[in-house]
Amino acid sequence: MITIKNVECADLAALEKGYRVTQVCWGLLLALSVLIYGSHAPLITLCKVDDKIPFSSSSCVVLIELAKFIVSLGLLFLRDRHSLHFAVSWRHVVPYVLPALLYAVNNNLVVFMQIHMDPSTFQVLSNFKIASTALLYSAFLRKQLSRRQWLSLALLMAAGICHTYSSMDTPKHKVDEAISGTQFHITVLGLLLVFVYCIVSGLAAVYTELILKTQRLPLNLQNLFLYFFGIVVNSGTHLASAEGSGFFDGYSRWVGVIVVTQALNGLLMSVVMKHSSNITRLFVISCSMLVNAVYSVALFSLQLTPLFFVSVFFIAVAIHLYYHV
């Protein structure tokens, strides 16, 4: 009996140790994703020449999808070689066409909406993606969220809006320049486009999570399908929008950093959606706003406003309400 008890205690200790290691690894993964998300906007700013982006954003997206595809292919051969013996039919592959198309639609909507509203209004209204994603997540994946969890998501939206307005706070000596350069406006069509944008964004994310979780295939193989169609759709978008410029025109080392970091972040997010949820992804994105501000303070001498600290408070309370942390 003593031997049996000792064995049971040893097994329990091993399980607890494994659980702690898993929790640490998961925390590091989420922290890395927050840092990468937060670095995207500052990196874009570092790429600018005369306050303009000198490279084709569509070509950059193609390279990011290609990088994710290559890494997924390598990981499939290194870690999931046994999965190559699985019988994979078209019914496994075809579902990945829809997310690629939805993401492409959203990317084009962002460009088209600039005609019908100013960028600041778009940034404020785009925070409603949190609500649309949560509603679709609850409906499609049949996940019932409690009132406490809905309140936490509402706080995330409020934090995003506060953060947007804090970044719009202009020093007094630049007020006249800001007013002349930016006029706040939005049309009825613009409102409709924002609604469509939020729905499509949430649908793309939730549908991707649904596929990743319902198919009994290795994640690297699923990523291979997803990124293949991403390459195809975004290459078509680039060819349609290219105006005679070269694919790599305007590229610099900072663009290379963007490609590498965004490819890594895409792979990390696939792990999050496979083993956690889109709600976790929403929290990652919200926390990245704060990291973005810290980067901007360090690189561009941005001055934080009281609304920034309101955003920090809202996000902290939201995390506490949702995850009981």
Side-chain angles (χ1 to χ4, degrees), residues 163-203:
H163 182 268
T164 301
Y165 278 117
S166 71
S167 64
M168 289 161 50
D169 196 0
T170 311
K172 195 171 182 180
H173 66 279
K174 292 187 178 179
V175 169
D176 292 337
E177 179 185 345
I179 292 174
S180 63
T182 303
Q183 294 185 359
F184 294 93
H185 72 281
I186 184 169
T187 65
V188 175
L189 180 57
L191 282 172
L192 177 61
L193 290 174
V194 167
F195 176 77
V196 173
Y197 169 80
C198 291
I199 294 297
V200 172
S201 177
L203 184 60

Short mmCIF file of all heavy atoms in Angstrom, two decimals, residues 163-203:
data_model
loop_
_atom_site.label_atom_id
_atom_site.label_comp_id
_atom_site.label_asym_id
_atom_site.label_seq_id
_atom_site.Cartn_x
_atom_site.Cartn_y
_atom_site.Cartn_z
N HIS A 163 -8.54 54.57 -25.86
CA HIS A 163 -7.18 54.58 -26.41
C HIS A 163 -7.14 55.34 -27.72
O HIS A 163 -6.19 56.09 -27.99
CB HIS A 163 -6.70 53.14 -26.62
CG HIS A 163 -5.29 53.06 -27.14
ND1 HIS A 163 -5.01 52.99 -28.49
CD2 HIS A 163 -4.10 53.07 -26.50
CE1 HIS A 163 -3.71 52.93 -28.65
NE2 HIS A 163 -3.13 52.98 -27.46
N THR A 164 -8.17 55.18 -28.55
CA THR A 164 -8.21 55.89 -29.83
C THR A 164 -8.27 57.39 -29.60
O THR A 164 -7.52 58.16 -30.22
CB THR A 164 -9.43 55.45 -30.65
OG1 THR A 164 -9.35 54.05 -30.89
CG2 THR A 164 -9.47 56.18 -31.99
N TYR A 165 -9.13 57.82 -28.69
CA TYR A 165 -9.25 59.26 -28.42
C TYR A 165 -7.98 59.80 -27.75
O TYR A 165 -7.61 60.96 -27.97
CB TYR A 165 -10.47 59.54 -27.55
CG TYR A 165 -11.74 59.61 -28.34
CD1 TYR A 165 -12.78 58.70 -28.12
CD2 TYR A 165 -11.92 60.59 -29.32
CE1 TYR A 165 -13.95 58.77 -28.85
CE2 TYR A 165 -13.09 60.65 -30.06
CZ TYR A 165 -14.10 59.73 -29.82
OH TYR A 165 -15.27 59.79 -30.56
N SER A 166 -7.30 58.97 -26.96
CA SER A 166 -6.07 59.44 -26.32
C SER A 166 -4.98 59.67 -27.36
O SER A 166 -4.18 60.60 -27.25
CB SER A 166 -5.58 58.43 -25.28
OG SER A 166 -5.08 57.26 -25.89
N SER A 167 -4.95 58.83 -28.41
CA SER A 167 -3.96 59.01 -29.46
C SER A 167 -4.30 60.18 -30.37
O SER A 167 -3.46 60.68 -31.11
CB SER A 167 -3.83 57.73 -30.30
OG SER A 167 -5.04 57.46 -30.98
N MET A 168 -5.59 60.62 -30.32
CA MET A 168 -6.00 61.78 -31.11
C MET A 168 -5.75 63.09 -30.39
O MET A 168 -5.89 64.17 -30.96
CB MET A 168 -7.49 61.68 -31.43
CG MET A 168 -7.85 60.61 -32.42
SD MET A 168 -9.60 60.18 -32.35
CE MET A 168 -10.38 61.78 -32.44
N ASP A 169 -5.37 63.03 -29.11
CA ASP A 169 -5.13 64.23 -28.34
C ASP A 169 -3.90 64.94 -28.88
O ASP A 169 -2.79 64.43 -28.80
CB ASP A 169 -4.92 63.86 -26.87
CG ASP A 169 -5.06 65.06 -25.95
OD1 ASP A 169 -5.32 66.16 -26.47
OD2 ASP A 169 -4.91 64.87 -24.74
N THR A 170 -4.08 66.13 -29.43
CA THR A 170 -3.02 66.84 -30.14
C THR A 170 -2.46 67.97 -29.29
O THR A 170 -3.22 68.69 -28.67
CB THR A 170 -3.56 67.43 -31.45
OG1 THR A 170 -4.28 66.41 -32.12
CG2 THR A 170 -2.45 67.93 -32.33
N PRO A 171 -1.12 68.13 -29.27
CA PRO A 171 -0.55 69.26 -28.55
C PRO A 171 -1.13 70.58 -29.04
O PRO A 171 -1.47 70.72 -30.22
CB PRO A 171 0.95 69.16 -28.88
CG PRO A 171 1.17 67.72 -29.18
CD PRO A 171 -0.10 67.26 -29.83
N LYS A 172 -1.22 71.56 -28.13
CA LYS A 172 -1.92 72.80 -28.43
C LYS A 172 -1.35 73.52 -29.64
O LYS A 172 -2.08 74.09 -30.46
CB LYS A 172 -1.88 73.71 -27.20
CG LYS A 172 -2.85 74.86 -27.27
CD LYS A 172 -2.92 75.59 -25.95
CE LYS A 172 -3.93 76.71 -26.01
NZ LYS A 172 -4.02 77.43 -24.73
N HIS A 173 -0.01 73.50 -29.80
CA HIS A 173 0.59 74.25 -30.89
C HIS A 173 0.35 73.59 -32.25
O HIS A 173 0.70 74.16 -33.27
CB HIS A 173 2.09 74.42 -30.65
CG HIS A 173 2.85 73.14 -30.70
ND1 HIS A 173 2.92 72.27 -29.63
CD2 HIS A 173 3.58 72.57 -31.70
CE1 HIS A 173 3.67 71.23 -29.95
NE2 HIS A 173 4.08 71.38 -31.19
N LYS A 174 -0.26 72.38 -32.23
CA LYS A 174 -0.53 71.69 -33.50
C LYS A 174 -2.02 71.61 -33.79
O LYS A 174 -2.43 70.93 -34.74
CB LYS A 174 0.06 70.27 -33.47
CG LYS A 174 1.58 70.25 -33.47
CD LYS A 174 2.09 68.83 -33.61
CE LYS A 174 3.61 68.80 -33.66
NZ LYS A 174 4.10 67.42 -33.78
N VAL A 175 -2.83 72.27 -32.99
CA VAL A 175 -4.28 72.16 -33.15
C VAL A 175 -4.72 72.65 -34.52
O VAL A 175 -5.51 72.01 -35.21
CB VAL A 175 -5.01 72.93 -32.03
CG1 VAL A 175 -6.49 73.04 -32.35
CG2 VAL A 175 -4.81 72.22 -30.70
N ASP A 176 -4.23 73.83 -34.92
CA ASP A 176 -4.64 74.40 -36.20
C ASP A 176 -4.26 73.48 -37.35
O ASP A 176 -5.04 73.26 -38.28
CB ASP A 176 -3.99 75.78 -36.41
CG ASP A 176 -4.54 76.80 -35.42
OD1 ASP A 176 -5.66 76.58 -34.92
OD2 ASP A 176 -3.83 77.79 -35.14
N GLU A 177 -3.05 72.91 -37.25
CA GLU A 177 -2.59 71.99 -38.30
C GLU A 177 -3.47 70.75 -38.34
O GLU A 177 -3.83 70.24 -39.40
CB GLU A 177 -1.14 71.59 -38.02
CG GLU A 177 -0.56 70.61 -39.02
CD GLU A 177 0.84 70.18 -38.62
OE1 GLU A 177 1.46 70.83 -37.76
OE2 GLU A 177 1.30 69.16 -39.18
N ALA A 178 -3.84 70.24 -37.16
CA ALA A 178 -4.67 69.03 -37.09
C ALA A 178 -6.06 69.29 -37.67
O ALA A 178 -6.60 68.46 -38.40
CB ALA A 178 -4.79 68.56 -35.63
N ILE A 179 -6.63 70.47 -37.34
CA ILE A 179 -7.97 70.78 -37.83
C ILE A 179 -7.97 70.93 -39.34
O ILE A 179 -8.88 70.45 -40.03
CB ILE A 179 -8.49 72.07 -37.15
CG1 ILE A 179 -8.72 71.80 -35.67
CG2 ILE A 179 -9.77 72.54 -37.80
CD1 ILE A 179 -9.11 73.03 -34.88
N SER A 180 -6.93 71.55 -39.86
CA SER A 180 -6.88 71.74 -41.31
C SER A 180 -6.61 70.45 -42.04
O SER A 180 -7.02 70.26 -43.18
CB SER A 180 -5.80 72.78 -41.67
OG SER A 180 -4.53 72.30 -41.27
N GLY A 181 -5.89 69.51 -41.37
CA GLY A 181 -5.52 68.27 -42.05
C GLY A 181 -6.53 67.16 -41.88
O GLY A 181 -6.55 66.21 -42.64
N THR A 182 -7.38 67.24 -40.84
CA THR A 182 -8.33 66.16 -40.58
C THR A 182 -9.71 66.73 -40.31
O THR A 182 -9.87 67.55 -39.43
CB THR A 182 -7.88 65.33 -39.36
OG1 THR A 182 -6.57 64.84 -39.60
CG2 THR A 182 -8.81 64.18 -39.13
N GLN A 183 -10.68 66.30 -41.04
CA GLN A 183 -12.06 66.70 -40.80
C GLN A 183 -12.87 65.46 -40.45
O GLN A 183 -12.84 64.48 -41.17
CB GLN A 183 -12.65 67.38 -42.04
CG GLN A 183 -11.99 68.72 -42.36
CD GLN A 183 -12.69 69.41 -43.51
OE1 GLN A 183 -13.65 68.89 -44.07
NE2 GLN A 183 -12.20 70.58 -43.85
N PHE A 184 -13.55 65.54 -39.32
CA PHE A 184 -14.33 64.40 -38.86
C PHE A 184 -15.62 64.31 -39.67
O PHE A 184 -16.40 65.24 -39.72
CB PHE A 184 -14.64 64.54 -37.37
CG PHE A 184 -13.42 64.48 -36.51
CD1 PHE A 184 -12.74 65.63 -36.14
CD2 PHE A 184 -12.92 63.26 -36.09
CE1 PHE A 184 -11.60 65.58 -35.36
CE2 PHE A 184 -11.78 63.19 -35.31
CZ PHE A 184 -11.11 64.35 -34.95
N HIS A 185 -15.78 63.16 -40.32
CA HIS A 185 -16.98 62.99 -41.13
C HIS A 185 -17.27 61.51 -41.30
O HIS A 185 -16.37 60.67 -41.20
CB HIS A 185 -16.82 63.65 -42.51
CG HIS A 185 -15.87 62.89 -43.41
ND1 HIS A 185 -14.51 62.99 -43.29
CD2 HIS A 185 -16.11 62.01 -44.42
CE1 HIS A 185 -13.93 62.21 -44.20
NE2 HIS A 185 -14.86 61.61 -44.89
N ILE A 186 -18.52 61.19 -41.53
CA ILE A 186 -18.92 59.83 -41.87
C ILE A 186 -20.25 59.90 -42.60
O ILE A 186 -21.13 60.69 -42.23
CB ILE A 186 -19.02 58.93 -40.61
CG1 ILE A 186 -19.35 57.48 -41.03
CG2 ILE A 186 -20.03 59.47 -39.63
CD1 ILE A 186 -19.22 56.48 -39.90
N THR A 187 -20.40 59.11 -43.64
CA THR A 187 -21.63 59.08 -44.42
C THR A 187 -22.50 57.91 -43.98
O THR A 187 -22.05 57.03 -43.22
CB THR A 187 -21.31 58.94 -45.92
OG1 THR A 187 -20.70 57.65 -46.15
CG2 THR A 187 -20.37 60.04 -46.39
N VAL A 188 -23.72 57.88 -44.45
CA VAL A 188 -24.62 56.76 -44.15
C VAL A 188 -24.03 55.47 -44.71
O VAL A 188 -24.06 54.42 -44.06
CB VAL A 188 -26.02 57.02 -44.75
CG1 VAL A 188 -26.92 55.80 -44.55
CG2 VAL A 188 -26.66 58.25 -44.11
N LEU A 189 -23.47 55.54 -45.92
CA LEU A 189 -22.83 54.36 -46.50
C LEU A 189 -21.63 53.95 -45.64
O LEU A 189 -21.36 52.75 -45.48
CB LEU A 189 -22.38 54.67 -47.93
CG LEU A 189 -21.67 53.53 -48.67
CD1 LEU A 189 -22.54 52.29 -48.73
CD2 LEU A 189 -21.27 53.97 -50.08
N GLY A 190 -20.94 54.94 -45.10
CA GLY A 190 -19.80 54.63 -44.23
C GLY A 190 -20.23 53.84 -43.00
O GLY A 190 -19.56 52.88 -42.61
N LEU A 191 -21.35 54.23 -42.40
CA LEU A 191 -21.87 53.48 -41.25
C LEU A 191 -22.21 52.04 -41.63
O LEU A 191 -21.93 51.10 -40.89
CB LEU A 191 -23.12 54.18 -40.70
CG LEU A 191 -22.88 55.41 -39.82
CD1 LEU A 191 -24.21 56.10 -39.51
CD2 LEU A 191 -22.17 55.03 -38.53
N LEU A 192 -22.82 51.89 -42.80
CA LEU A 192 -23.17 50.55 -43.28
C LEU A 192 -21.90 49.72 -43.51
O LEU A 192 -21.85 48.54 -43.15
CB LEU A 192 -23.98 50.65 -44.57
CG LEU A 192 -24.37 49.33 -45.23
CD1 LEU A 192 -25.25 48.50 -44.29
CD2 LEU A 192 -25.09 49.58 -46.55
N LEU A 193 -20.87 50.34 -44.08
CA LEU A 193 -19.62 49.63 -44.34
C LEU A 193 -18.93 49.21 -43.05
O LEU A 193 -18.35 48.13 -42.98
CB LEU A 193 -18.69 50.51 -45.18
CG LEU A 193 -19.10 50.75 -46.63
CD1 LEU A 193 -18.17 51.75 -47.30
CD2 LEU A 193 -19.12 49.43 -47.41
N VAL A 194 -18.99 50.06 -42.03
CA VAL A 194 -18.40 49.70 -40.74
C VAL A 194 -19.12 48.50 -40.15
O VAL A 194 -18.50 47.57 -39.61
CB VAL A 194 -18.47 50.90 -39.75
CG1 VAL A 194 -18.14 50.44 -38.34
CG2 VAL A 194 -17.50 51.97 -40.17
N PHE A 195 -20.45 48.49 -40.27
CA PHE A 195 -21.24 47.35 -39.78
C PHE A 195 -20.83 46.07 -40.51
O PHE A 195 -20.59 45.03 -39.87
CB PHE A 195 -22.73 47.63 -39.99
CG PHE A 195 -23.63 46.47 -39.62
CD1 PHE A 195 -23.91 46.19 -38.30
CD2 PHE A 195 -24.17 45.66 -40.61
CE1 PHE A 195 -24.72 45.12 -37.96
CE2 PHE A 195 -24.99 44.60 -40.29
CZ PHE A 195 -25.26 44.32 -38.95
N VAL A 196 -20.72 46.14 -41.84
CA VAL A 196 -20.30 44.97 -42.63
C VAL A 196 -18.89 44.56 -42.24
O VAL A 196 -18.60 43.36 -42.08
CB VAL A 196 -20.39 45.29 -44.14
CG1 VAL A 196 -19.80 44.14 -44.95
CG2 VAL A 196 -21.83 45.56 -44.55
N TYR A 197 -18.01 45.54 -42.08
CA TYR A 197 -16.61 45.26 -41.71
C TYR A 197 -16.54 44.49 -40.39
O TYR A 197 -15.81 43.50 -40.27
CB TYR A 197 -15.85 46.58 -41.61
CG TYR A 197 -14.48 46.45 -41.00
CD1 TYR A 197 -13.39 45.99 -41.75
CD2 TYR A 197 -14.26 46.78 -39.66
CE1 TYR A 197 -12.14 45.88 -41.18
CE2 TYR A 197 -13.01 46.66 -39.09
CZ TYR A 197 -11.95 46.22 -39.86
OH TYR A 197 -10.70 46.09 -39.29
N CYS A 198 -17.29 44.95 -39.39
CA CYS A 198 -17.26 44.30 -38.08
C CYS A 198 -17.82 42.87 -38.15
O CYS A 198 -17.28 41.94 -37.53
CB CYS A 198 -18.03 45.13 -37.06
SG CYS A 198 -17.24 46.70 -36.63
N ILE A 199 -18.89 42.69 -38.91
CA ILE A 199 -19.49 41.36 -39.06
C ILE A 199 -18.55 40.42 -39.79
O ILE A 199 -18.32 39.28 -39.36
CB ILE A 199 -20.84 41.45 -39.80
CG1 ILE A 199 -21.87 42.22 -38.97
CG2 ILE A 199 -21.37 40.05 -40.13
CD1 ILE A 199 -22.23 41.57 -37.65
N VAL A 200 -17.98 40.89 -40.90
CA VAL A 200 -17.07 40.05 -41.69
C VAL A 200 -15.83 39.70 -40.88
O VAL A 200 -15.35 38.55 -40.92
CB VAL A 200 -16.70 40.75 -43.01
CG1 VAL A 200 -15.61 39.98 -43.74
CG2 VAL A 200 -17.93 40.90 -43.91
N SER A 201 -15.30 40.67 -40.15
CA SER A 201 -14.12 40.42 -39.33
C SER A 201 -14.40 39.36 -38.28
O SER A 201 -13.61 38.41 -38.10
CB SER A 201 -13.69 41.73 -38.65
OG SER A 201 -12.60 41.50 -37.78
N GLY A 202 -15.52 39.48 -37.58
CA GLY A 202 -15.88 38.49 -36.58
C GLY A 202 -16.16 37.13 -37.18
O GLY A 202 -15.76 36.10 -36.64
N LEU A 203 -16.83 37.12 -38.33
CA LEU A 203 -17.17 35.86 -39.00
C LEU A 203 -15.91 35.13 -39.45
O LEU A 203 -15.80 33.91 -39.29
CB LEU A 203 -18.08 36.14 -40.19
CG LEU A 203 -18.60 34.92 -40.96
CD1 LEU A 203 -19.42 34.01 -40.04
CD2 LEU A 203 -19.44 35.36 -42.16
#
